[in-house]
Amino acid sequence: MVRIVKILILSLMCLTLVGWNTAFAGKTIVIKGSTTVLPIAQAAAETYMKTHPEINISISGGGSGNGIKALVDKSTDIANSSRFIKPKEVELAIKNGVYPVPHRIAVDAIVPIVHPENPVNNLTIEQMNLIYQGKIKNWKDVGGKKMQIVVVSRDTSSGTYEVWQKKILNKAKVTPRAQMQASNGAVVQVVSKNKYAIGYIGLGYLDSSVKGIKVHGINASAQAALSGVYPIARPLFMFTDGWPNGAVADFINFVVSPKGQVIVKKEGYIPLY
Amino acid sequence: MKMTNNILKQEIMESLPDREARTFVKWRYFKQNLFFSVVRLSALIIVISLGGFLFYIFINGIGAISWDFLTLYPKDSMTKGGIMPAILGTIYLTSGAIIIALPLGVMTAVYLSEYARQGTVVRIIRVGVNCLAGVPSIVFGLFGLALFVVFFQFGSCILSGALTLGFLILPTIIGASEEALKSVPQTFREASLALGVSKWQTIFRIVLPNALPGIMTGSILGIGRAAGETAPIMFTAAAFYTAKLPASIFDEVMALPYHIYVLATAGTHIEQTRPIQYGTALVLVALVLGIDLAAIIIRSYTRKKRRW
Amino acid sequence: MSRKLKETIIKNIFFLFALVSIFILALIVVFLFREGLPIFKVVSIKDFIFGSEWYPTYDPPDFGIWPLIVGSLIVTFFSSLIAIPLGVLSAIYISELAPYWIKEILKPAIELLAALPSVVLGFFGMVVLAPWLQETFDLPTGLNIVNASIILAIMAVPTISSISEDALYSVPLEFKEASYALGATKFETIAGIIVPAALSGISTAIILGMARAIGETMVVLMVAGGSAAIPESIFDSVRPMPASIAAEMGEAPFRSGHYHALFATGIVLLFLTFFFNLIADYISTKFKEVGSATL
């Protein structure tokens, strides 16, 4: 009995040693925040580490709110955010001795999506406003079939949600009956399986399982977003505490460099240039 | 048994005075059969649910399992590759948790059951410990976040996660150890003391060794619980993706339960990573069930070997 | 070193460890209160608990958790509706009806069921049960009260079953033998004698099972749907308290109003689980059958 336990403990220690030796990392960069920016951050990290094998990058999602809060609490090096930092957050940061600096790394468009079988192709901002407040409840009121509308939204920690709130809802409250999802990916999943649903996602998450609809007749595309014609476009940020240096600065420089912007494009977002 | 039941039934029926009595007895047996069918049905439902669930996870997950899956890093935005960092992360967190909780828990249990004066104070402490065993895991997560991550400024790392998990399983270990200590017959202690052995020697050489199986079972179950918990590590230790293995206890880790959760709700390619989610679920379930099965086997083995 | 001295030193070492453990466990409660009470400077206790609008990130924020409390209570209620009959009846089966070999397999099987990680069950509910519910009943979403209740019942049944089984097992043999001797059938013995005698243990089991359902986090986070509104049908989504805390924990800045509100929700949750556990403890000690020695 005691022997078995000793053997178990020994093997555990060996496992650990193996792990240590094969992947001893030098500096770690901690990145947290927006699920919109997440694919860019992860793809960039994978590429970056091929050329900088001594750096370890650890990434988490959770939403822009999570990222900024982590920055304020000093528990992350980079905060991914799909919205700008709020004045209250800046106040809290300064109180905590953190000076948030934004770095624009890409441009994004928020696309409203519906189930591929939904015949609706176009909505106005006013219509979406009323839908999300719960005041329009049936698709027939916006030119679709006679069926109920299921509103899919994001959790309050989401930067995508905040931008949607500002541009579409205009400070009105989302209906409490909305299905809150934790990420862009979850919204895609729900809408692709639910013929009644409407949701909104970052451009990079648009795929064939859902149908993107036009806003005021304008399709979400790179040109429309960059030229400002598309009404729900926004920049994507990485925030740091003060001006970054060392590995963090190097990584952010990589993301805004041409090589990094290729990755942005590959993930479906809109490069800065 | 059944045959004698039937013979008995026949005898009873024949000995009854009239038809009315016979009908009454038939009615009682009918009620019994009805009830028993319902009872058997319940047990069957449970077995089928458990079996069906495990089978489903197995069928969907086994396709993803391979030696590569268990030993490689995730690649291509998690849609390919393996879950090795998550497996290792879970091992680190669980080991840390048990290293913290086991000594603390056992010593506390020993004090409470051997040394402390049995009165209201001890009773309150015991009730408190039992209550804390039932506290939702998210509350521990909140606590871990507020104390270790922010207040102590450890940040999100193995240390914070292991401490939080350790506190989570501490009440379980205290409870199990106390049960084990209580089950050691008092006569053992009395005989030892009567022979002139001091109290602490009695505890170390007689009571603890005899309580060891129960303590071990409890700790193994605690390990199983710590390995499967998600809420406490969500904000204290776990990351969506770490490129390398942690270099120190101040680094974030990936972990199996968190990996399932995050791939299924917050990932970048939820549908495409579905097979990996099932595979991870299968690995986690196999791990936890394996640990608990070991505990159950150890418990029945030591129960048979008991000297009392 | 004298024997007495050694004895005292060791006793005090144990005492120290025990003190540390208890201190830590008390710290959890203290911390919850410390970080949660400040919310009551911003909103009154009555408004917090009974307010029906939960919009913590708006300007100005609304901190009413009544929909969250209702969500917790409803899923607990419905899951108990499923779990209590299944749990108690299967306990009766194991302790009274099952042949030895079935018993040896079923008991460990149920214990293993208790050990399943909640995230895997939540995953199953989200990925298998939800689409099935949505298709079969043509619902707006499969993530709702029904889904959560079923999965929570799977989690509560093992607790209820094993504790009830212990209670039934400890009913003295004399009770059963006396009943049979008087000519009662097996069913009449079980229903009329054994179960009532074990009632305190069974009640404890039920209450602990319900406490487990109320405190469960990952399952409700993944399958209850997440909408913070008082439900109108069992096919509506809800947002039980643990799910709300888990979902919002990451974004509430340290010591902000939202942060305090989440901790205060944790306090309410803690009170509820403590309440359940204390009742279970009270019932089990007050109504304990003291065994055949008292006959």
Side-chain angles (χ1 to χ4, degrees), chain C residues 39-154:
Chain C
I39 190 63
F40 297 119
K41 288 194 215 132
V42 175
V43 66
S44 75
I45 296 190
K46 185 160 147 295
D47 281 337
F48 183 70
I49 297 187
F50 294 108
S52 57
E53 305 240 306
W54 176 251
Y55 286 102
T57 48
Y58 269 92
D59 214 349
D62 274 318
F63 292 124
I65 62 169
W66 186 240
L68 309 183
I69 297 181
V70 169
S72 277
L73 292 175
I74 285 195
V75 292
T76 309
F77 174 71
F78 280 105
S79 70
S80 306
L81 227 54
I82 303 174
I84 293 177
L86 277 181
V88 177
L89 289 176
S90 63
I92 293 177
Y93 178 70
I94 293 179
S95 80
E96 299 296 323
L97 295 183
Y100 180 74
W101 63 274
I102 290 190
K103 202 175 180 163
E104 288 298 300
I105 298 182
L106 204 52
K107 268 206 83 159
I110 294 192
E111 272 188 54
L112 285 178
L113 190 60
L116 282 176
S118 51
V119 66
V120 178
L121 282 165
F123 175 67
F124 181 77
M126 197 173 81
V127 165
V128 177
L129 198 53
W132 181 81
L133 280 173
Q134 199 178 313
E135 289 292 313
T136 324
F137 296 100
D138 196 29
L139 302 168
T141 175
L143 301 176
N144 50 32
I145 297 179
V146 172
N147 195 336
S149 304
I150 294 178
I151 307 283
L152 281 177
I154 298 182

Side-chain angles (χ1 to χ4, degrees), chain B residues 155-281:
Chain B
S156 170
C157 63
I158 299 182
L159 184 62
S160 305
L163 281 166
T164 312
L165 281 175
F167 291 2
L168 179 76
I169 60 176
L170 187 60
T172 313
I173 304 231
I174 296 181
S177 307
E178 260 206 288
E179 280 294 320
L181 288 165
K182 259 199 278 190
S183 76
V184 176
Q186 192 64 3
T187 48
F188 282 30
R189 297 183 185 84
E190 291 169 352
S192 171
L193 290 172
L195 287 169
V197 181
S198 67
K199 184 158 188 181
W200 72 269
Q201 276 181 329
T202 310
I203 293 180
F204 271 108
R205 288 177 189 268
I206 307 287
V207 179
L208 271 182
N210 276 303
L212 205 59
I215 295 179
M216 257 205 340
T217 316
S219 0
I220 295 181
L221 290 173
I223 292 180
R225 182 157 179 212
E229 281 288 346
T230 324
I233 56 172
M234 270 204 309
F235 293 102
T236 55
F240 176 64
Y241 173 72
T242 56
K244 298 206 170 49
L245 293 177
S248 78
I249 56 171
F250 289 105
D251 283 336
E252 286 188 324
V253 281
M254 290 166 69
L256 287 170
Y258 186 70
H259 202 64
I260 302 173
Y261 168 68
V262 89
L263 279 184
T265 57
T268 48
H269 296 91
I270 294 188
E271 284 297 321
Q272 283 143 292
T273 48
R274 191 69 84 205
I276 298 195
Q277 295 164 30
Y278 272 110
T280 316

Side-chain angles (χ1 to χ4, degrees), chain C residues 57-287:
Chain C
T57 48
Y58 269 92
D59 214 349
D62 274 318
F63 292 124
I65 62 169
W66 186 240
L68 309 183
I69 297 181
V70 169
S72 277
L73 292 175
I74 285 195
V75 292
T76 309
F77 174 71
F78 280 105
S79 70
S80 306
L81 227 54
I82 303 174
I84 293 177
L86 277 181
V88 177
L89 289 176
S90 63
I92 293 177
Y93 178 70
I94 293 179
S95 80
E96 299 296 323
L97 295 183
Y100 180 74
W101 63 274
I102 290 190
K103 202 175 180 163
E104 288 298 300
I105 298 182
L106 204 52
K107 268 206 83 159
I110 294 192
E111 272 188 54
L112 285 178
L113 190 60
L116 282 176
S118 51
V119 66
V120 178
L121 282 165
F123 175 67
F124 181 77
M126 197 173 81
V127 165
V128 177
L129 198 53
W132 181 81
L133 280 173
Q134 199 178 313
E135 289 292 313
T136 324
F137 296 100
D138 196 29
L139 302 168
T141 175
L143 301 176
N144 50 32
I145 297 179
V146 172
N147 195 336
S149 304
I150 294 178
I151 307 283
L152 281 177
I154 298 182
M155 299 206 76
V157 159
T159 310
I160 298 181
S161 182
S162 43
I163 300 183
S164 300
E165 197 264 325
D166 282 341
L168 290 165
Y169 185 69
S170 62
V171 171
L173 209 54
E174 287 85 354
F175 285 29
K176 287 192 247 185
E177 291 174 347
S179 174
Y180 289 141
L182 287 171
T185 61
K186 199 159 188 189
F187 163 58
E188 287 160 354
T189 309
I190 294 177
I193 306 289
I194 299 181
V195 169
L199 205 54
S200 78
I202 296 182
S203 320
T204 310
I206 292 178
I207 293 177
L208 288 178
M210 290 173 78
R212 177 123 198 244
I214 251 201
E216 182 44 54
T217 310
M218 292 319 292
V219 172
V220 294
L221 183 60
M222 293 165 95
V223 306
S227 72
I230 299 180
E232 286 163 10
S233 95
I234 56 168
F235 290 113
D236 277 347
S237 302
V238 283
R239 196 179 176 95
M241 288 183 282
S244 197
I245 300 178
E248 298 169 23
M249 201 161 78
E251 63 152 329
F254 193 57
R255 301 248 166 96
S256 67
H258 193 184
Y259 174 91
H260 291 305
L262 288 178
F263 270 88
T265 313
I267 295 179
V268 173
L269 199 52
L270 193 70
F271 268 142
L272 271 172
T273 31
F274 264 33
F275 175 68
F276 275 110
N277 275 298
L278 284 173
I279 291 193
D281 185 70
Y282 177 72
I283 292 183
S284 76
T285 45
K286 182 110 194 273
F287 297 105

Side-chain angles (χ1 to χ4, degrees), chain A residues 65-66 69 73 88 92 148 150 155-157 161 165 171-180 193-196, chain C residues 53 55 57-59 62 134 138-141 225-230 232 236-237 239 247 249-254:
Chain A
N66 282 25
K69 170 220 153 91
D73 289 342
K88 264 215 197 105
L92 264 163
Q148 53 173 319
V150 172
D155 260 330
T156 51
S157 62
Y161 161 77
Q165 230 254 313
K171 306 272 178 172
K173 289 186 181 167
V174 178
T175 165
R177 301 225 164 267
Q179 308 282 320
M180 310 285 224
K193 295 209 168 105
N194 190 331
K195 51 184 191 279
Y196 307 121
Chain C
E53 305 240 306
Y55 286 102
T57 48
Y58 269 92
D59 214 349
D62 274 318
Q134 199 178 313
D138 196 29
L139 302 168
T141 175
S227 72
I230 299 180
E232 286 163 10
D236 277 347
S237 302
R239 196 179 176 95
M249 201 161 78
E251 63 152 329
F254 193 57

